[in-house]
Amino acid sequence: MPKALKRFLQPALMILLGLVGLYFITIIYATGESLLAGVMLVTLAAFIWIYSSPRTYAYRYLFPGIGAALIFVVFPMLYTVRIGFTNYSSKNLLTYKRATNYLLEETYRAEGPTYTSTLHAEGGKWRLRLEDAEGGSATLVTEPFVVGPPKAWTLKAEPLAAPLAGEEMPLRNLIEHQDFMKGLTVLLPSGGQVRMTGLREFASARALYTLNKDGSLTNNQDQSRLNPDFKTGFYVTASGDPVDPGFQVDIGWKHYVEIFTDAALREPFLRIFVWTLVFSALTVVFCTALGMVLAVLLNWENLRFRSVYRLLLFLPYAIPGFISILVFKGLFNNNTGEINLVLGALFGLKPTWFSDPFLAKTMILIVNTWLGFPYMMVVCMGLIKAIPNDLYEASAVAGAGPLTNFFSITMPLILKPLTPLLISSFAFNFNNFVLISLLTGGLPDFLNTSVPAGTTDILVSYTYRMAFQDSGQKFGLGAAISTVVFLMVAAISIIQIRSTKIAEDTKR
């Protein structure tokens, strides 16, 4: 390829990619996703700069990962934080503009004739036939049109000169295109207009609200007014009653203040936080202890069928976690579970695993240990292989036994390189939503709280219930709690890293 052409192609390609990227960013911004559009604009600008400047040549290999992190990691974090400062909920889903347009699109039935409607095919298009329900006027038919995606469309109608020969649209197809039909406005020969008021009915309809210059809405039926309330996120009547749909507004630090000051939220939040810490810490301890002991046993050279044992013990990790959790849910069933059947036959016991808070927490730790120990076992086996045999030979000469070897040689040498994994495991279990959701669902619930919260809930499952289930789908409050949980996990991880001096060891 000639050098001149090569020098021309690179800038031309960058300009083309930049224009295409700006086009999509503009579309995303037009839909109201300004934060996502901003992140994508920064990513696009960095892409063009890095791949067009000779001084940033070394960063071209790093940018794909950095760009993916910006879009798939940084953006969700920023979006979650942003939602935490709004009243976003099931009652306040729309933006102010979309909520206003929704109200302006509402209609009411005005005085005028009512027409029975049918759709008839004509050469790949359709005609709307309107017949006066009372027989007081001539039958009308519209110009041909194409049925497609919902949109506002105005059609002219004229008296029917000859019967329509096209096949009538079946009812099930008419139901499928109902949204499109609602957007049709038919202009009558008399100068009036009708809109769809029923599945097979068109009648005179007028807009229910009219937008005023000050942003209020006037009800055309009774001349009352609706005023937007940017504190509650609703249009309100003169008496203060909110009118659906609501819209999103910024409420500042209200959710964060509510988390720590509202007694209804604070009490279960603190108890759930303590249980989350205990659950995460005990899971790490149990999984590590069991995995380490099994790794030491499976590294014993005189043990026969070691490979078979390794395969069998690794199976719990190889099986998808949700399957194992559901299997254990059946095994721990209070009435028909095999565990209670065995305990009942041997000791006459039938523990209420899902009803008693302590037993439910014990069950969760047992299942989570079963799911987590194989990975720790495999890691510890690899670390043990890296320990020089000279140390164990010297220990044998000194007359030390297996326990001395484990506590004086094996555990100290594998614990330090294992520490970063223990910290990440703690952070993972801090947010182990799947286990809680599938096994107990957070139950049994606390009986002395006004906010739905379970004794086996951890912070992430409690947040899910607050945001999506029992409390009216308060997405903003859920996002605020998620942000607080993220800061807690980050702070705990930093403290753990500094306390174990991992950063200093890495520098050395």
Side-chain angles (χ1 to χ4, degrees), residues 97-115:
K97 183 178 179 181
R98 291 182 63 185
T100 303
N101 290 337
Y102 180 90
L103 293 174
L104 292 176
E105 290 174 359
E106 288 196 22
T107 60
Y108 70 95
R109 190 166 179 172
E111 294 184 1
T114 300
Y115 295 91

Side-chain angles (χ1 to χ4, degrees), residues 368-383:
N368 209 27
T369 301
W370 171 265
L371 295 174
F373 85 85
Y375 181 70
M376 289 295 182
M377 179 189 71
V378 173
V379 173
C380 291
M381 286 172 61
L383 293 175

Side-chain angles (χ1 to χ4, degrees), residues 117-256:
S117 63
T118 54
L119 275 177
H120 296 266
E122 184 177 305
K125 295 184 178 181
W126 298 89
R127 281 180 181 268
L128 181 63
R129 182 180 181 274
L130 300 175
E131 183 177 354
D132 192 340
E134 299 179 358
S137 60
T139 301
L140 305 175
V141 64
T142 65
E143 56 191 306
F145 60 93
V146 178
V147 176
K151 65 176 182 178
W153 203 333
T154 301
L155 298 172
K156 292 183 180 180
E158 57 186 16
L160 179 64
L164 296 176
E167 183 180 353
E168 182 181 341
M169 178 181 284
L171 181 61
R172 69 174 185 276
N173 293 45
L174 187 60
I175 294 174
E176 293 176 0
H177 299 294
Q178 186 176 5
D179 291 337
F180 171 81
M181 298 298 294
K182 288 181 178 179
L184 291 181
T185 300
V186 180
L187 300 179
L188 304 178
S190 61
Q193 60 183 28
V194 293
R195 299 184 65 180
M196 186 178 185
T197 55
L199 197 57
R200 291 191 181 273
E201 180 183 87
F202 273 69
S204 298
R206 292 186 59 191
L208 181 59
Y209 295 102
T210 300
L211 181 63
N212 303 314
K213 292 183 178 179
D214 61 354
S216 62
L217 300 177
T218 299
N219 189 312
N220 295 321
Q221 279 187 294
D222 55 16
Q223 301 304 311
S224 62
R225 301 186 68 177
L226 299 180
N227 294 296
D229 187 345
F230 293 100
K231 292 183 179 180
T232 62
F234 285 96
Y235 277 93
V236 295
T237 62
S239 59
D241 297 327
V243 176
D244 291 327
F247 51 89
Q248 301 174 39
V249 293
D250 292 328
I251 58 174
W253 297 88
K254 180 180 177 181
H255 287 319
Y256 295 93

Side-chain angles (χ1 to χ4, degrees), residues 287-354:
C287 290
T288 305
L290 183 57
M292 191 179 298
V293 170
L294 292 175
V296 172
L297 293 176
L298 292 177
N299 272 283
W300 181 29
E301 294 183 357
N302 294 329
L303 181 64
R304 298 180 62 186
F305 308 113
R306 285 192 300 167
S307 59
V308 176
Y309 297 145
R310 289 173 182 172
L311 176 62
L312 293 176
L313 291 173
F314 187 73
L315 284 179
Y317 190 76
I319 297 173
F322 76 93
I323 294 178
S324 298
I325 294 171
L326 294 177
V327 169
F328 270 104
K329 188 173 184 178
L331 293 175
F332 279 102
N333 186 279
N334 294 339
N335 299 316
T336 61
E338 283 76 2
I339 293 178
N340 271 15
L341 293 178
V342 173
L343 291 177
L346 295 178
F347 308 105
L349 299 176
K350 281 195 175 182
T352 54
W353 298 102
F354 292 91

